[in-house]
Amino acid sequence: FAPAGYNARWFPAAKKGYAGVALYSRSAPDRYAEGAPFAHCADEGRVLRADFGGLSFVSLYVPSGSSSPERLAIKLKYMELFLGHAKALLAEKRPIALCGDLNVAPTALDLARPKQNEKNSGFLPEERAWFAALEKQGWIDVVRAQHPGKPGLYSWWSNRGQARAKDIGWRLDHVLM
């Protein structure tokens, strides 16, 4: 699927209907790069990059860890490996936007009920520490840079318990530059 007037590139998971990322742009990029430079989750369609002259965009979908302890272990390993890739991206010394579903609410402002979710994937201390490590590398959380201290900037709501209507959400999608 590509809207009229847009270039579209999809990087799907090997398993049909599972994960995958995409990028849409009005201008055609100079190049696309699929995947990350490590094999962990390589068949899950997690990273897609497009370069436009001196500017790059990376669409990222970090695995969820909420379905089982095994998936949480996979997520944490992915996050650990991705830190090295994120550092290498910054070392390119070019404007890069890292965008997507990072499956992490980095601060208590980024979810409606932080106390109730301290032991849930998406808000675990090690997941938040990973996000802080990205920032320590030099990545800037664009939403927090533009709206410091503002709660309620959610990007995901559960399908249960009328979470959307009650605005009981999480900010799991991010733009880092």
Side-chain angles (χ1 to χ4, degrees):
F1 173 74
Y6 284 86
N7 292 282
R9 181 69 168 249
W10 293 81
F11 183 46
K15 181 178 172 184
K16 189 175 179 172
Y18 183 80
V21 290
L23 287 167
Y24 294 95
S25 62
R26 294 264 189 199
S27 302
D30 301 322
R31 78 174 187 112
Y32 287 105
E34 297 176 344
F38 50 85
H40 188 69
C41 297
D43 63 344
E44 294 185 7
R46 299 280 173 192
V47 181
L48 178 61
R49 175 181 174 162
D51 294 334
F52 300 85
L55 175 65
S56 296
F57 291 88
V58 176
S59 180
L60 172 64
Y61 185 11
V62 172
S64 173
S66 61
S67 65
S68 69
E70 294 78 21
R71 278 310 287 182
L72 177 59
I74 288 168
K75 176 184 183 177
L76 295 175
K77 179 68 174 177
Y78 187 89
M79 294 168 104
E80 174 190 333
L81 293 167
F82 193 83
L83 272 179
H85 184 50
K87 187 175 183 178
L89 291 171
L90 286 175
E92 292 182 23
K93 302 288 185 197
R94 63 186 280 134
I96 298 178
L98 181 60
C99 314
D101 185 349
L102 277 60
N103 269 312
V104 175
T107 73
L109 287 173
D110 298 313
L111 68 165
R113 296 184 173 160
K115 279 287 182 204
Q116 294 94 320
N117 286 289
E118 287 177 340
K119 295 181 181 177
N120 292 330
S121 181
F123 196 59
L124 295 172
E126 55 266 45
E127 293 166 317
R128 290 181 279 140
W130 173 79
F131 194 93
L134 285 172
E135 291 179 311
K136 189 173 181 180
Q137 287 182 348
W139 292 98
I140 297 166
D141 180 347
V142 173
V143 168
R144 282 292 157 234
Q146 295 295 311
H147 307 283
K150 185 173 182 178
L153 301 174
Y154 309 135
S155 59
W156 181 84
W157 295 261
S158 171
N159 291 324
R160 299 180 186 155
Q162 297 183 321
R164 181 83 183 220
K166 296 176 183 176
D167 202 24
I168 302 168
W170 295 59
R171 184 172 74 100
L172 300 175
D173 300 305
H174 302 277
V175 176
L176 301 171
M177 296 185 83

